[in-house]
Amino acid sequence: MLVSAFYAGLLYFALTDAPSWAELSEMGQAGLLWPVAWAHVTGLPVAAAVVTVLYLTGALAAAIAPGHRLGRALAAFGMLEFTALHYSAGKIGHGTHLWLLAAIVLIFLPDVGRSPGRRERQSYLNVFWTAHALILLTYSMSGLGKLLGALRQASQGQITAFHPQAMALHIADRLTETGSRSPVGLWLVDHVAVSWPLMLGTIYLQIFTFWSIFRPSLLRLWTGGLIAFHVATYWVLGIRFAPPILLLAMWGLASPFLPSQTPLKVMLTDLPIAGFVIKKWLKSPSVSHSMP
Amino acid sequence: MQTPAHSIPLCNSSRNSTFAYRRQQGWLAAVLVVQLVGGLAVLGAPGQEVFPLYSWFLFALTPEQVRTRAEVRLLELDGRAPGPAVALETDRELVSVVQAPTVVRLARDLGRACAAGNEVEVRRLRQTLEDNFIHRPARYELVEVSYHPIERLHGGTEQTRSVRQFDTKVP
């Protein structure tokens, strides 16, 4: 069901992205990415039309028959080509990268037939789990980047991501660079007491995102946190990352691995680092005696 | 005691299926390792990316309190000065908000190429900039700007140094 929903979402993106083929056909040929290097031969107008048709056809085929590998492969290939052309000419953008990575992994879903056995179902879930884990891993890499960046800057005596002004500097730098305005961003720049904990919380959330795929009790909480993070970056920095929100919500909030109920105590003790401290605290005689 | 006839083929099938399952688990784990190791490996690549492998090191470095960066400023467009020269990425007629970070990066790379005296890279970056964002006959300047981000956001001062001027016809 979630795989079908994935390809329905992909078809929606293909349809909403399709009108940009006209813009792509007028793009300069300098800086084409490797999957669309052939556009040097055909020219941009032909290449833009071809990749748009490929993207639409593949997404439609996979949405109609998500159980067929050929359709899924065509969908991934079409998306790879379209995304490569869209992000050519030095353009920066990663809005649909997570969908593309997931589409590539989902090609390898096994054919389970009408009445799959236990092993077939496990194999199917393994591929699905890996696609989800791959998405969550990118957030942990982002958190890791902030941690390594902070270590490097600390060694050079510079302000790091853990400094109270770090988020204010990020916001100010981004808004001045892009010439965009954000009332929420401006407010946060002037209220470090709010922006500092948000920055520290973001780093914690990102670093341990990958952890949540191994702790189903935390998956819903972490998914909610990541969605809130994307909404916040839009309001504060003007960075719109809508496609990942849909993917996170679909797979994180409706995951087949989610427990039906998660007691608060389990959730708290499963938290990375903090959970270890909470577990110790709960085991301490003063708390365990007072608990019923 | 006699072994049932069907038990041997079943056992082999089960062994094969276990092997296939383990093999699948192996390559699925490899996918995650490739993402992690590949992401770290492309850190040195332009834009930290070898498409579609990306480092995901977003906002990894905190901006310094005195920030120095390269900016492209339009001096003439279609033979006319467009008022006071402003950074190309903030000119909403030529560059949208979504495109602005790309122009910022191109200006940064152009500044680095100029400083290194790499004329091949300068020509390539100019062509990307001119084909995709300027489109029209223009004269533009690469400048080095120094400022405090928070002060600049509140209308504070900045210091600029001219690096080089270009005309849109790439030789």
PDB file of all heavy atoms in Angstrom, chain A residues 132 136 139 205 208-209 212-213 215-231 244-255 258:
ATOM      1  N   HIS A 132      13.521   3.435   3.282  1.00  0.00           N
ATOM      2  CA  HIS A 132      13.184   4.371   4.368  1.00  0.00           C
ATOM      3  C   HIS A 132      14.442   4.751   5.157  1.00  0.00           C
ATOM      4  O   HIS A 132      14.668   5.920   5.478  1.00  0.00           O
ATOM      5  CB  HIS A 132      12.132   3.718   5.277  1.00  0.00           C
ATOM      6  CG  HIS A 132      11.462   4.684   6.203  1.00  0.00           C
ATOM      7  ND1 HIS A 132      10.583   4.305   7.166  1.00  0.00           N
ATOM      8  CD2 HIS A 132      11.552   6.044   6.313  1.00  0.00           C
ATOM      9  CE1 HIS A 132      10.160   5.371   7.836  1.00  0.00           C
ATOM     10  NE2 HIS A 132      10.744   6.438   7.332  1.00  0.00           N
ATOM     11  N   LEU A 136      16.301   8.457   5.905  1.00  0.00           N
ATOM     12  CA  LEU A 136      16.611   8.961   7.247  1.00  0.00           C
ATOM     13  C   LEU A 136      18.117   9.152   7.439  1.00  0.00           C
ATOM     14  O   LEU A 136      18.550  10.059   8.152  1.00  0.00           O
ATOM     15  CB  LEU A 136      16.044   8.010   8.309  1.00  0.00           C
ATOM     16  CG  LEU A 136      14.512   7.830   8.277  1.00  0.00           C
ATOM     17  CD1 LEU A 136      14.056   6.988   9.464  1.00  0.00           C
ATOM     18  CD2 LEU A 136      13.785   9.166   8.304  1.00  0.00           C
ATOM     19  N   TYR A 139      19.480  12.645   6.757  1.00  0.00           N
ATOM     20  CA  TYR A 139      19.324  13.641   7.836  1.00  0.00           C
ATOM     21  C   TYR A 139      20.443  13.483   8.874  1.00  0.00           C
ATOM     22  O   TYR A 139      20.964  14.472   9.386  1.00  0.00           O
ATOM     23  CB  TYR A 139      17.952  13.496   8.506  1.00  0.00           C
ATOM     24  CG  TYR A 139      16.827  13.970   7.621  1.00  0.00           C
ATOM     25  CD1 TYR A 139      16.170  13.089   6.779  1.00  0.00           C
ATOM     26  CD2 TYR A 139      16.443  15.302   7.607  1.00  0.00           C
ATOM     27  CE1 TYR A 139      15.152  13.511   5.947  1.00  0.00           C
ATOM     28  CE2 TYR A 139      15.423  15.748   6.778  1.00  0.00           C
ATOM     29  CZ  TYR A 139      14.779  14.840   5.950  1.00  0.00           C
ATOM     30  OH  TYR A 139      13.777  15.275   5.120  1.00  0.00           O
ATOM     31  N   LEU A 205      18.269  16.268  16.806  1.00  0.00           N
ATOM     32  CA  LEU A 205      17.257  15.588  15.974  1.00  0.00           C
ATOM     33  C   LEU A 205      17.896  14.985  14.722  1.00  0.00           C
ATOM     34  O   LEU A 205      17.662  13.819  14.381  1.00  0.00           O
ATOM     35  CB  LEU A 205      16.176  16.599  15.566  1.00  0.00           C
ATOM     36  CG  LEU A 205      15.035  16.070  14.707  1.00  0.00           C
ATOM     37  CD1 LEU A 205      13.997  15.380  15.567  1.00  0.00           C
ATOM     38  CD2 LEU A 205      14.370  17.196  13.922  1.00  0.00           C
ATOM     39  N   PHE A 208      20.583  11.959  15.267  1.00  0.00           N
ATOM     40  CA  PHE A 208      20.030  10.663  15.682  1.00  0.00           C
ATOM     41  C   PHE A 208      18.815  10.227  14.867  1.00  0.00           C
ATOM     42  O   PHE A 208      18.078   9.341  15.296  1.00  0.00           O
ATOM     43  CB  PHE A 208      19.721  10.695  17.184  1.00  0.00           C
ATOM     44  CG  PHE A 208      20.964  10.805  18.018  1.00  0.00           C
ATOM     45  CD1 PHE A 208      21.282  11.987  18.675  1.00  0.00           C
ATOM     46  CD2 PHE A 208      21.843   9.735  18.104  1.00  0.00           C
ATOM     47  CE1 PHE A 208      22.440  12.104  19.431  1.00  0.00           C
ATOM     48  CE2 PHE A 208      23.006   9.843  18.863  1.00  0.00           C
ATOM     49  CZ  PHE A 208      23.312  11.025  19.520  1.00  0.00           C
ATOM     50  N   THR A 209      18.614  10.820  13.696  1.00  0.00           N
ATOM     51  CA  THR A 209      17.476  10.398  12.872  1.00  0.00           C
ATOM     52  C   THR A 209      17.615   8.931  12.466  1.00  0.00           C
ATOM     53  O   THR A 209      16.650   8.171  12.483  1.00  0.00           O
ATOM     54  CB  THR A 209      17.365  11.292  11.619  1.00  0.00           C
ATOM     55  OG1 THR A 209      17.076  12.614  12.034  1.00  0.00           O
ATOM     56  CG2 THR A 209      16.252  10.825  10.710  1.00  0.00           C
ATOM     57  N   SER A 212      16.365   6.315  14.820  1.00  0.00           N
ATOM     58  CA  SER A 212      14.917   6.094  14.963  1.00  0.00           C
ATOM     59  C   SER A 212      14.409   4.942  14.098  1.00  0.00           C
ATOM     60  O   SER A 212      13.373   4.353  14.398  1.00  0.00           O
ATOM     61  CB  SER A 212      14.138   7.368  14.646  1.00  0.00           C
ATOM     62  OG  SER A 212      14.212   7.667  13.266  1.00  0.00           O
ATOM     63  N   ILE A 213      15.123   4.589  13.018  1.00  0.00           N
ATOM     64  CA  ILE A 213      14.670   3.472  12.179  1.00  0.00           C
ATOM     65  C   ILE A 213      14.883   2.141  12.913  1.00  0.00           C
ATOM     66  O   ILE A 213      14.233   1.142  12.621  1.00  0.00           O
ATOM     67  CB  ILE A 213      15.367   3.483  10.785  1.00  0.00           C
ATOM     68  CG1 ILE A 213      14.615   2.584   9.778  1.00  0.00           C
ATOM     69  CG2 ILE A 213      16.808   3.060  10.852  1.00  0.00           C
ATOM     70  CD1 ILE A 213      13.430   3.174   9.140  1.00  0.00           C
ATOM     71  N   ARG A 215      14.513   2.049  16.260  1.00  0.00           N
ATOM     72  CA  ARG A 215      13.694   2.184  17.466  1.00  0.00           C
ATOM     73  C   ARG A 215      12.279   2.589  17.041  1.00  0.00           C
ATOM     74  O   ARG A 215      11.934   3.782  17.044  1.00  0.00           O
ATOM     75  CB  ARG A 215      14.268   3.290  18.394  1.00  0.00           C
ATOM     76  CG  ARG A 215      15.607   2.972  19.013  1.00  0.00           C
ATOM     77  CD  ARG A 215      15.441   1.998  20.181  1.00  0.00           C
ATOM     78  NE  ARG A 215      16.707   1.763  20.861  1.00  0.00           N
ATOM     79  CZ  ARG A 215      17.639   0.906  20.445  1.00  0.00           C
ATOM     80  NH1 ARG A 215      17.458   0.224  19.330  1.00  0.00           N
ATOM     81  NH2 ARG A 215      18.744   0.719  21.138  1.00  0.00           N
ATOM     82  N   PRO A 216      11.436   1.608  16.680  1.00  0.00           N
ATOM     83  CA  PRO A 216      10.085   1.941  16.199  1.00  0.00           C
ATOM     84  C   PRO A 216       9.301   2.828  17.168  1.00  0.00           C
ATOM     85  O   PRO A 216       8.449   3.604  16.750  1.00  0.00           O
ATOM     86  CB  PRO A 216       9.416   0.575  16.043  1.00  0.00           C
ATOM     87  CG  PRO A 216      10.553  -0.380  15.836  1.00  0.00           C
ATOM     88  CD  PRO A 216      11.688   0.164  16.645  1.00  0.00           C
ATOM     89  N   SER A 217       9.629   2.744  18.468  1.00  0.00           N
ATOM     90  CA  SER A 217       8.917   3.575  19.448  1.00  0.00           C
ATOM     91  C   SER A 217       9.177   5.058  19.212  1.00  0.00           C
ATOM     92  O   SER A 217       8.396   5.909  19.631  1.00  0.00           O
ATOM     93  CB  SER A 217       9.367   3.199  20.863  1.00  0.00           C
ATOM     94  OG  SER A 217      10.761   3.435  20.990  1.00  0.00           O
ATOM     95  N   LEU A 218      10.307   5.377  18.540  1.00  0.00           N
ATOM     96  CA  LEU A 218      10.667   6.784  18.321  1.00  0.00           C
ATOM     97  C   LEU A 218      10.328   7.289  16.914  1.00  0.00           C
ATOM     98  O   LEU A 218      10.416   8.482  16.643  1.00  0.00           O
ATOM     99  CB  LEU A 218      12.175   6.981  18.535  1.00  0.00           C
ATOM    100  CG  LEU A 218      12.720   6.737  19.932  1.00  0.00           C
ATOM    101  CD1 LEU A 218      14.238   6.888  19.926  1.00  0.00           C
ATOM    102  CD2 LEU A 218      12.108   7.712  20.928  1.00  0.00           C
ATOM    103  N   LEU A 219       9.946   6.361  16.030  1.00  0.00           N
ATOM    104  CA  LEU A 219       9.799   6.726  14.615  1.00  0.00           C
ATOM    105  C   LEU A 219       8.769   7.835  14.405  1.00  0.00           C
ATOM    106  O   LEU A 219       9.008   8.795  13.656  1.00  0.00           O
ATOM    107  CB  LEU A 219       9.426   5.474  13.809  1.00  0.00           C
ATOM    108  CG  LEU A 219       9.563   5.577  12.294  1.00  0.00           C
ATOM    109  CD1 LEU A 219      10.944   6.039  11.877  1.00  0.00           C
ATOM    110  CD2 LEU A 219       9.259   4.223  11.650  1.00  0.00           C
ATOM    111  N   ARG A 220       7.631   7.721  15.089  1.00  0.00           N
ATOM    112  CA  ARG A 220       6.584   8.730  14.928  1.00  0.00           C
ATOM    113  C   ARG A 220       7.069  10.093  15.447  1.00  0.00           C
ATOM    114  O   ARG A 220       6.875  11.116  14.797  1.00  0.00           O
ATOM    115  CB  ARG A 220       5.327   8.299  15.696  1.00  0.00           C
ATOM    116  CG  ARG A 220       4.025   8.838  15.116  1.00  0.00           C
ATOM    117  CD  ARG A 220       2.861   8.497  16.028  1.00  0.00           C
ATOM    118  NE  ARG A 220       2.668   7.066  16.232  1.00  0.00           N
ATOM    119  CZ  ARG A 220       1.878   6.301  15.479  1.00  0.00           C
ATOM    120  NH1 ARG A 220       1.222   6.834  14.482  1.00  0.00           N
ATOM    121  NH2 ARG A 220       1.749   5.016  15.727  1.00  0.00           N
ATOM    122  N   LEU A 221       7.717  10.067  16.623  1.00  0.00           N
ATOM    123  CA  LEU A 221       8.217  11.307  17.238  1.00  0.00           C
ATOM    124  C   LEU A 221       9.248  11.964  16.326  1.00  0.00           C
ATOM    125  O   LEU A 221       9.209  13.176  16.073  1.00  0.00           O
ATOM    126  CB  LEU A 221       8.841  10.978  18.599  1.00  0.00           C
ATOM    127  CG  LEU A 221       9.479  12.130  19.361  1.00  0.00           C
ATOM    128  CD1 LEU A 221       8.410  13.059  19.904  1.00  0.00           C
ATOM    129  CD2 LEU A 221      10.336  11.607  20.513  1.00  0.00           C
ATOM    130  N   TRP A 222      10.189  11.167  15.804  1.00  0.00           N
ATOM    131  CA  TRP A 222      11.261  11.718  14.967  1.00  0.00           C
ATOM    132  C   TRP A 222      10.709  12.238  13.641  1.00  0.00           C
ATOM    133  O   TRP A 222      11.134  13.279  13.153  1.00  0.00           O
ATOM    134  CB  TRP A 222      12.349  10.662  14.726  1.00  0.00           C
ATOM    135  CG  TRP A 222      13.666  11.127  15.250  1.00  0.00           C
ATOM    136  CD1 TRP A 222      14.707  11.605  14.512  1.00  0.00           C
ATOM    137  CD2 TRP A 222      14.074  11.218  16.614  1.00  0.00           C
ATOM    138  NE1 TRP A 222      15.739  11.979  15.346  1.00  0.00           N
ATOM    139  CE2 TRP A 222      15.379  11.759  16.646  1.00  0.00           C
ATOM    140  CE3 TRP A 222      13.456  10.917  17.825  1.00  0.00           C
ATOM    141  CZ2 TRP A 222      16.082  11.980  17.825  1.00  0.00           C
ATOM    142  CZ3 TRP A 222      14.159  11.149  18.990  1.00  0.00           C
ATOM    143  CH2 TRP A 222      15.441  11.665  18.987  1.00  0.00           C
ATOM    144  N   THR A 223       9.751  11.504  13.069  1.00  0.00           N
ATOM    145  CA  THR A 223       9.153  11.959  11.812  1.00  0.00           C
ATOM    146  C   THR A 223       8.459  13.307  12.016  1.00  0.00           C
ATOM    147  O   THR A 223       8.625  14.219  11.202  1.00  0.00           O
ATOM    148  CB  THR A 223       8.134  10.910  11.296  1.00  0.00           C
ATOM    149  OG1 THR A 223       8.813   9.664  11.155  1.00  0.00           O
ATOM    150  CG2 THR A 223       7.552  11.321   9.971  1.00  0.00           C
ATOM    151  N   GLY A 224       7.723  13.405  13.112  1.00  0.00           N
ATOM    152  CA  GLY A 224       7.055  14.670  13.431  1.00  0.00           C
ATOM    153  C   GLY A 224       8.079  15.797  13.585  1.00  0.00           C
ATOM    154  O   GLY A 224       7.882  16.911  13.103  1.00  0.00           O
ATOM    155  N   GLY A 225       9.189  15.482  14.251  1.00  0.00           N
ATOM    156  CA  GLY A 225      10.250  16.472  14.448  1.00  0.00           C
ATOM    157  C   GLY A 225      10.850  16.933  13.133  1.00  0.00           C
ATOM    158  O   GLY A 225      11.084  18.134  12.930  1.00  0.00           O
ATOM    159  N   LEU A 226      11.086  15.993  12.222  1.00  0.00           N
ATOM    160  CA  LEU A 226      11.679  16.338  10.929  1.00  0.00           C
ATOM    161  C   LEU A 226      10.715  17.176  10.089  1.00  0.00           C
ATOM    162  O   LEU A 226      11.128  18.119   9.400  1.00  0.00           O
ATOM    163  CB  LEU A 226      12.081  15.076  10.156  1.00  0.00           C
ATOM    164  CG  LEU A 226      13.245  14.280  10.753  1.00  0.00           C
ATOM    165  CD1 LEU A 226      13.453  12.976  10.001  1.00  0.00           C
ATOM    166  CD2 LEU A 226      14.540  15.099  10.742  1.00  0.00           C
ATOM    167  N   ILE A 227       9.428  16.843  10.161  1.00  0.00           N
ATOM    168  CA  ILE A 227       8.433  17.638   9.410  1.00  0.00           C
ATOM    169  C   ILE A 227       8.399  19.059   9.985  1.00  0.00           C
ATOM    170  O   ILE A 227       8.396  20.046   9.237  1.00  0.00           O
ATOM    171  CB  ILE A 227       7.049  16.952   9.454  1.00  0.00           C
ATOM    172  CG1 ILE A 227       7.094  15.642   8.644  1.00  0.00           C
ATOM    173  CG2 ILE A 227       5.962  17.874   8.905  1.00  0.00           C
ATOM    174  CD1 ILE A 227       5.866  14.771   8.763  1.00  0.00           C
ATOM    175  N   ALA A 228       8.399  19.156  11.312  1.00  0.00           N
ATOM    176  CA  ALA A 228       8.406  20.481  11.957  1.00  0.00           C
ATOM    177  C   ALA A 228       9.658  21.263  11.554  1.00  0.00           C
ATOM    178  O   ALA A 228       9.600  22.477  11.308  1.00  0.00           O
ATOM    179  CB  ALA A 228       8.353  20.319  13.474  1.00  0.00           C
ATOM    180  N   PHE A 229      10.784  20.559  11.448  1.00  0.00           N
ATOM    181  CA  PHE A 229      12.049  21.191  11.031  1.00  0.00           C
ATOM    182  C   PHE A 229      11.910  21.781   9.612  1.00  0.00           C
ATOM    183  O   PHE A 229      12.315  22.916   9.356  1.00  0.00           O
ATOM    184  CB  PHE A 229      13.171  20.152  11.100  1.00  0.00           C
ATOM    185  CG  PHE A 229      14.377  20.466  10.258  1.00  0.00           C
ATOM    186  CD1 PHE A 229      15.274  21.457  10.641  1.00  0.00           C
ATOM    187  CD2 PHE A 229      14.611  19.779   9.071  1.00  0.00           C
ATOM    188  CE1 PHE A 229      16.376  21.754   9.852  1.00  0.00           C
ATOM    189  CE2 PHE A 229      15.709  20.064   8.288  1.00  0.00           C
ATOM    190  CZ  PHE A 229      16.595  21.059   8.663  1.00  0.00           C
ATOM    191  N   HIS A 230      11.312  21.022   8.692  1.00  0.00           N
ATOM    192  CA  HIS A 230      11.142  21.523   7.322  1.00  0.00           C
ATOM    193  C   HIS A 230      10.192  22.720   7.269  1.00  0.00           C
ATOM    194  O   HIS A 230      10.428  23.678   6.530  1.00  0.00           O
ATOM    195  CB  HIS A 230      10.617  20.411   6.408  1.00  0.00           C
ATOM    196  CG  HIS A 230      11.688  19.448   5.977  1.00  0.00           C
ATOM    197  ND1 HIS A 230      12.854  19.879   5.384  1.00  0.00           N
ATOM    198  CD2 HIS A 230      11.773  18.110   6.044  1.00  0.00           C
ATOM    199  CE1 HIS A 230      13.607  18.821   5.108  1.00  0.00           C
ATOM    200  NE2 HIS A 230      12.985  17.739   5.496  1.00  0.00           N
ATOM    201  N   VAL A 231       9.126  22.640   8.044  1.00  0.00           N
ATOM    202  CA  VAL A 231       8.173  23.758   8.081  1.00  0.00           C
ATOM    203  C   VAL A 231       8.891  25.004   8.618  1.00  0.00           C
ATOM    204  O   VAL A 231       8.747  26.114   8.083  1.00  0.00           O
ATOM    205  CB  VAL A 231       6.938  23.402   8.950  1.00  0.00           C
ATOM    206  CG1 VAL A 231       6.042  24.611   9.138  1.00  0.00           C
ATOM    207  CG2 VAL A 231       6.148  22.258   8.304  1.00  0.00           C
ATOM    208  N   PRO A 244      10.109  16.102   0.387  1.00  0.00           N
ATOM    209  CA  PRO A 244      10.516  15.213   1.490  1.00  0.00           C
ATOM    210  C   PRO A 244       9.484  15.138   2.609  1.00  0.00           C
ATOM    211  O   PRO A 244       9.371  14.107   3.270  1.00  0.00           O
ATOM    212  CB  PRO A 244      11.821  15.837   2.001  1.00  0.00           C
ATOM    213  CG  PRO A 244      12.334  16.620   0.871  1.00  0.00           C
ATOM    214  CD  PRO A 244      11.133  17.142   0.154  1.00  0.00           C
ATOM    215  N   ILE A 245       8.725  16.224   2.828  1.00  0.00           N
ATOM    216  CA  ILE A 245       7.719  16.200   3.897  1.00  0.00           C
ATOM    217  C   ILE A 245       6.672  15.123   3.600  1.00  0.00           C
ATOM    218  O   ILE A 245       6.285  14.346   4.473  1.00  0.00           O
ATOM    219  CB  ILE A 245       7.034  17.583   4.053  1.00  0.00           C
ATOM    220  CG1 ILE A 245       8.041  18.607   4.562  1.00  0.00           C
ATOM    221  CG2 ILE A 245       5.835  17.502   4.992  1.00  0.00           C
ATOM    222  CD1 ILE A 245       7.477  19.999   4.777  1.00  0.00           C
ATOM    223  N   LEU A 246       6.246  15.062   2.326  1.00  0.00           N
ATOM    224  CA  LEU A 246       5.245  14.056   1.950  1.00  0.00           C
ATOM    225  C   LEU A 246       5.790  12.641   2.166  1.00  0.00           C
ATOM    226  O   LEU A 246       5.102  11.772   2.708  1.00  0.00           O
ATOM    227  CB  LEU A 246       4.840  14.262   0.478  1.00  0.00           C
ATOM    228  CG  LEU A 246       3.819  13.268  -0.080  1.00  0.00           C
ATOM    229  CD1 LEU A 246       2.508  13.335   0.694  1.00  0.00           C
ATOM    230  CD2 LEU A 246       3.557  13.536  -1.561  1.00  0.00           C
ATOM    231  N   LEU A 247       7.043  12.438   1.770  1.00  0.00           N
ATOM    232  CA  LEU A 247       7.659  11.113   1.909  1.00  0.00           C
ATOM    233  C   LEU A 247       7.816  10.726   3.385  1.00  0.00           C
ATOM    234  O   LEU A 247       7.514   9.600   3.787  1.00  0.00           O
ATOM    235  CB  LEU A 247       9.023  11.130   1.196  1.00  0.00           C
ATOM    236  CG  LEU A 247       9.684   9.788   0.924  1.00  0.00           C
ATOM    237  CD1 LEU A 247       8.748   8.847   0.190  1.00  0.00           C
ATOM    238  CD2 LEU A 247      10.956   9.981   0.102  1.00  0.00           C
ATOM    239  N   LEU A 248       8.284  11.687   4.184  1.00  0.00           N
ATOM    240  CA  LEU A 248       8.450  11.430   5.622  1.00  0.00           C
ATOM    241  C   LEU A 248       7.105  11.089   6.260  1.00  0.00           C
ATOM    242  O   LEU A 248       7.001  10.139   7.039  1.00  0.00           O
ATOM    243  CB  LEU A 248       9.027  12.673   6.315  1.00  0.00           C
ATOM    244  CG  LEU A 248      10.513  12.973   6.099  1.00  0.00           C
ATOM    245  CD1 LEU A 248      10.838  14.365   6.613  1.00  0.00           C
ATOM    246  CD2 LEU A 248      11.383  11.936   6.801  1.00  0.00           C
ATOM    247  N   ALA A 249       6.083  11.865   5.904  1.00  0.00           N
ATOM    248  CA  ALA A 249       4.766  11.658   6.511  1.00  0.00           C
ATOM    249  C   ALA A 249       4.199  10.297   6.105  1.00  0.00           C
ATOM    250  O   ALA A 249       3.666   9.563   6.943  1.00  0.00           O
ATOM    251  CB  ALA A 249       3.825  12.781   6.092  1.00  0.00           C
ATOM    252  N   MET A 250       4.326   9.965   4.816  1.00  0.00           N
ATOM    253  CA  MET A 250       3.771   8.694   4.318  1.00  0.00           C
ATOM    254  C   MET A 250       4.427   7.501   4.986  1.00  0.00           C
ATOM    255  O   MET A 250       3.765   6.600   5.480  1.00  0.00           O
ATOM    256  CB  MET A 250       4.010   8.593   2.805  1.00  0.00           C
ATOM    257  CG  MET A 250       2.854   9.083   1.985  1.00  0.00           C
ATOM    258  SD  MET A 250       2.982   8.688   0.239  1.00  0.00           S
ATOM    259  CE  MET A 250       4.668   8.522  -0.178  1.00  0.00           C
ATOM    260  N   TRP A 251       5.758   7.508   4.959  1.00  0.00           N
ATOM    261  CA  TRP A 251       6.479   6.311   5.410  1.00  0.00           C
ATOM    262  C   TRP A 251       6.759   6.314   6.911  1.00  0.00           C
ATOM    263  O   TRP A 251       6.890   5.254   7.513  1.00  0.00           O
ATOM    264  CB  TRP A 251       7.804   6.179   4.633  1.00  0.00           C
ATOM    265  CG  TRP A 251       7.582   5.713   3.231  1.00  0.00           C
ATOM    266  CD1 TRP A 251       6.379   5.525   2.607  1.00  0.00           C
ATOM    267  CD2 TRP A 251       8.589   5.371   2.277  1.00  0.00           C
ATOM    268  NE1 TRP A 251       6.584   5.100   1.316  1.00  0.00           N
ATOM    269  CE2 TRP A 251       7.925   4.986   1.089  1.00  0.00           C
ATOM    270  CE3 TRP A 251       9.971   5.357   2.301  1.00  0.00           C
ATOM    271  CZ2 TRP A 251       8.606   4.603  -0.051  1.00  0.00           C
ATOM    272  CZ3 TRP A 251      10.652   4.961   1.157  1.00  0.00           C
ATOM    273  CH2 TRP A 251       9.979   4.578  -0.001  1.00  0.00           C
ATOM    274  N   GLY A 252       6.866   7.493   7.493  1.00  0.00           N
ATOM    275  CA  GLY A 252       7.196   7.569   8.919  1.00  0.00           C
ATOM    276  C   GLY A 252       5.969   7.478   9.810  1.00  0.00           C
ATOM    277  O   GLY A 252       6.027   6.920  10.902  1.00  0.00           O
ATOM    278  N   LEU A 253       4.844   8.030   9.344  1.00  0.00           N
ATOM    279  CA  LEU A 253       3.643   8.046  10.191  1.00  0.00           C
ATOM    280  C   LEU A 253       2.700   6.882   9.894  1.00  0.00           C
ATOM    281  O   LEU A 253       1.754   6.643  10.634  1.00  0.00           O
ATOM    282  CB  LEU A 253       2.895   9.390  10.024  1.00  0.00           C
ATOM    283  CG  LEU A 253       3.714  10.642  10.363  1.00  0.00           C
ATOM    284  CD1 LEU A 253       2.903  11.907  10.161  1.00  0.00           C
ATOM    285  CD2 LEU A 253       4.244  10.587  11.794  1.00  0.00           C
ATOM    286  N   ALA A 254       2.946   6.194   8.763  1.00  0.00           N
ATOM    287  CA  ALA A 254       2.107   5.036   8.436  1.00  0.00           C
ATOM    288  C   ALA A 254       2.985   3.801   8.222  1.00  0.00           C
ATOM    289  O   ALA A 254       2.627   2.906   7.465  1.00  0.00           O
ATOM    290  CB  ALA A 254       1.290   5.342   7.188  1.00  0.00           C
ATOM    291  N   SER A 255       4.141   3.798   8.869  1.00  0.00           N
ATOM    292  CA  SER A 255       5.084   2.692   8.674  1.00  0.00           C
ATOM    293  C   SER A 255       4.522   1.365   9.191  1.00  0.00           C
ATOM    294  O   SER A 255       3.892   1.329  10.251  1.00  0.00           O
ATOM    295  CB  SER A 255       6.392   3.017   9.412  1.00  0.00           C
ATOM    296  OG  SER A 255       7.205   1.879   9.458  1.00  0.00           O
ATOM    297  N   LEU A 258       5.689   0.517  12.791  1.00  0.00           N
ATOM    298  CA  LEU A 258       5.277   1.275  13.981  1.00  0.00           C
ATOM    299  C   LEU A 258       4.523   0.379  14.960  1.00  0.00           C
ATOM    300  O   LEU A 258       3.654  -0.386  14.547  1.00  0.00           O
ATOM    301  CB  LEU A 258       4.349   2.422  13.572  1.00  0.00           C
ATOM    302  CG  LEU A 258       4.970   3.712  13.046  1.00  0.00           C
ATOM    303  CD1 LEU A 258       3.863   4.671  12.606  1.00  0.00           C
ATOM    304  CD2 LEU A 258       5.814   4.380  14.115  1.00  0.00           C
TER     305      LEU A 258
END
